[in-house]
Amino acid sequence: MHESRSVDRRAMLKIAGGSVAALGLTTAGCGGGAGAGDGTVTLRYSWWGADDRAKRINETIKLFEKKFPKIKIKTDFQPYPDFWKKFNTQASGGNPPDVFQNAIGFLRKYDAKNVLLDLHPQAKAGHLRLEGFRAGLEKFGEVDGKLLGVPVGSNSMALVIDKNVYTKAGVKPEQGWTWDEFDAALKSISDKTDRAGDSGMYGVMYLYDLYLRQNGKAFFTEKSLGFTEADLKQWWEKGKKDTESGLVAPTKKVVQAKPKSAVTAELAAGEFTWDNFTNRYTAEGKSEYGLAPIPTTDGKKTGQYLGSLMLSGSKRTKHPKEVAQFIDFMVHDPEVAKIMGYDRGVPSTTSQYEAFKPTDPVAKEIAAYEESLVAAGVLEPITPHPAGADVCEMAFMRLAEEVGLGTRSVDEAVKQFFTESKTALGS
């Protein structure tokens, strides 16, 4: 559901959404990791991220190889868009890595292409533990009865705010506040400070999903879109109105500020994003930033769920047992959590969650925010995204931005979105 912080989300999705078949074949042969005459096997492990994540992961691999001396790990990492470009090429050639980082938006896509290993048999054989996960996360990677990914960390949507601006405006968000109260907060911020209230929430697909879930729908069903053209027209018309009134920052200025956030660029007092991205704001900006609850329709239901990065296995691997053992170690071993911290979100298992106690204020706030969601009882299951969901997200962001810039009317944008999405989803 996330990453990388430094790369434009639309560029990522454009690359990741490309057809595996269209990207050609690799020159290498098929199959998984290599085996040696002494029984040692080598697994290829790929992930996306920056140098700091690579350093941490390499430390965890040293621990794994010490515990499992007959399993060697060959690593490969790329920035987010480069990862999916390379992965698509490997998959099209029948040579994907044995184990790799994955996300909810790609499970059905690659399952349909016969790429992902069902890990349930390995769990039944005792090579992968599915107990000890927080808040039902062990079910997060299940699709149509198959276990296609195992969570390594969790995150959830939140409202990241500039605390100083909110305080100046006299706004104090609390769990259960409504969209009407949120709108009043935006007006108070706009009236009492030099900022707009929000950076442009109407192009955030995952936020719109929560809004729909609050109203008995969802962005996706298992095979198609879960809302109507009339629903989206109402959402984007409000976005256009709020932008024109100054409650939401001007889209042109938000675009010009990229890759910097509109919040740290001091255009807006807040924006909706994943809770574990809070580190970005502290690194970019000069103010104090924090997490506020998602507004609700009825004062109770937020529609939220815990998202997650996952580890998946290749269906082509020659070593499914060893893949499962590697994943089990990475999600359960306490020492791994002490090394990784919250780099990939809050640890998904209780053993790792309890092993790492954050000391910096940002990580503490992320942990407290997710604990508050569990305590409030607002978390729900997520519907696994259908194949083509990544293309829908890219279209949603692009068209919402065009509405904000005034280069496309709401009616045109809505019709174009449904046209592109139905093509991508095959519905």
Side-chain angles (χ1 to χ4, degrees):
M1 309 254 137
H2 48 286
E3 321 248 43
S4 161
R5 301 179 183 86
S6 61
V7 182
D8 184 83
R9 177 76 167 157
R10 186 181 306 136
M12 301 173 187
L13 289 162
K14 188 172 182 180
I15 294 170
S19 167
V20 170
L23 285 168
L25 302 176
T26 58
T27 56
C30 63
D38 63 354
T40 300
V41 303
T42 299
L43 301 179
R44 293 161 51 222
Y45 172 35
S46 297
W47 70 91
W48 65 82
D51 290 340
D52 182 62
R53 176 175 293 177
K55 181 180 179 181
R56 293 171 186 266
I57 287 179
N58 285 332
E59 287 187 50
T60 67
I61 288 171
K62 288 179 183 178
L63 288 178
F64 175 78
E65 291 180 337
K66 185 176 181 179
K67 185 173 182 179
F68 294 89
K70 292 292 187 180
I71 307 176
K72 303 300 179 186
I73 306 297
K74 182 179 179 182
T75 64
D76 181 30
F77 80 98
Q78 311 283 337
Y80 187 98
D82 296 334
F83 171 88
W84 287 110
K85 182 177 180 180
K86 184 173 183 178
F87 183 84
N88 287 340
T89 303
Q90 291 171 326
S92 68
N95 192 35
D98 297 275
V99 60
F100 51 94
Q101 194 167 281
N102 205 350
I104 189 72
F106 300 97
L107 292 184
R108 275 203 162 93
K109 173 176 182 171
Y110 286 110
D111 183 43
K113 296 178 183 296
N114 212 29
V115 172
L116 302 181
L117 175 69
D118 181 3
L119 290 162
H120 270 316
Q122 296 304 319
K124 291 178 181 177
H127 305 140
L128 173 62
R129 289 168 288 172
L130 296 181
E131 68 276 359
F133 283 81
R134 299 171 42 243
L137 281 168
E138 70 277 4
K139 300 288 187 181
F140 192 77
E142 284 193 355
V143 173
D144 301 330
K146 294 176 284 189
L147 182 62
L148 303 179
V150 179
V152 293
S154 68
N155 59 6
S156 191
M157 286 295 294
L159 173 61
V160 175
I161 63 171
D162 185 318
K163 289 184 177 180
N164 294 331
V165 177
Y166 262 67
T167 298
K168 185 177 180 179
V171 177
K172 188 177 180 181
E174 295 182 349
Q175 188 73 41
W177 68 330
T178 66
W179 288 106
D180 287 342
E181 290 171 326
F182 174 72
D183 287 341
L186 297 189
K187 188 173 189 314
S188 181
I189 291 167
S190 179
D191 290 344
K192 298 178 182 180
T193 75
D194 60 350
R195 308 278 182 90
D198 188 79
S199 68
M201 53 190 274
Y202 300 98
V204 183
M205 184 191 82
Y206 291 100
L207 177 67
Y208 187 45
D209 182 37
L210 298 190
Y211 179 79
L212 289 168
R213 289 161 68 92
Q214 291 176 18
N215 290 278
K217 299 185 178 183
F219 199 99
F220 294 113
T221 67
E222 292 186 355
K223 296 182 179 180
S224 63
L225 296 175
F227 59 99
T228 66
E229 291 189 21
D231 293 327
L232 183 56
K233 181 178 178 179
Q234 183 183 46
W235 180 256
W236 277 348
E237 281 183 340
K238 189 173 190 308
K240 181 178 174 63
K241 178 182 176 183
D242 287 351
T243 302
E244 291 174 345
S245 69
L247 298 182
V248 170
T251 305
K252 184 176 181 180
K253 289 185 177 181
V254 173
V255 172
Q256 290 172 339
K258 291 181 179 180
K260 199 169 187 178
S261 159
V263 175
T264 56
E266 301 183 353
L267 297 172
E271 65 185 8
F272 292 91
T273 188
W274 300 104
D275 58 16
N276 65 314
F277 283 6
T278 314
N279 290 297
R280 165 193 177 177
Y281 299 87
T282 302
E284 279 186 3
K286 300 179 293 185
S287 190
E288 183 181 0
Y289 308 97
L291 298 171
I294 298 293
T296 69
T297 299
D298 61 0
K300 298 177 182 179
K301 182 181 176 70
T302 68
Q304 282 174 276
Y305 47 82
L306 290 183
S308 180
L309 284 179
M310 292 175 278
L311 294 180
S312 293
S314 164
K315 202 168 187 177
R316 301 295 293 264
T317 185
K318 295 176 182 177
H319 308 290
K321 173 185 174 181
E322 289 79 4
V323 164
Q325 289 174 322
F326 178 74
I327 293 175
D328 181 90
F329 180 85
M330 289 298 170
V331 300
H332 286 285
D333 190 274
E335 293 303 313
V336 170
K338 293 177 183 179
I339 294 170
M340 295 304 302
Y342 287 178
D343 180 81
R344 296 180 296 191
V346 179
S348 60
T349 58
T350 54
S351 59
Q352 291 195 345
Y353 182 75
E354 292 169 358
F356 176 71
K357 299 299 182 183
T359 56
D360 67 282
V362 175
K364 284 183 176 180
E365 184 155 8
I366 294 170
Y369 178 73
E370 293 202 5
E371 287 174 356
S372 73
L373 298 181
V374 174
V378 299
L379 294 174
E380 305 173 2
I382 182 177
T383 302
H385 296 180
D390 51 334
V391 179
C392 297
E393 183 181 0
M394 182 173 66
F396 191 81
M397 287 190 296
R398 185 189 77 247
L399 292 165
E401 184 176 288
E402 290 178 5
V403 170
L405 291 171
T407 58
R408 194 185 290 264
S409 71
V410 170
D411 285 341
E412 290 173 339
V414 169
K415 290 186 181 301
Q416 184 64 26
F417 174 77
F418 272 78
T419 297
E420 292 184 29
S421 294
K422 287 178 179 179
T423 299
L425 300 174
S427 58

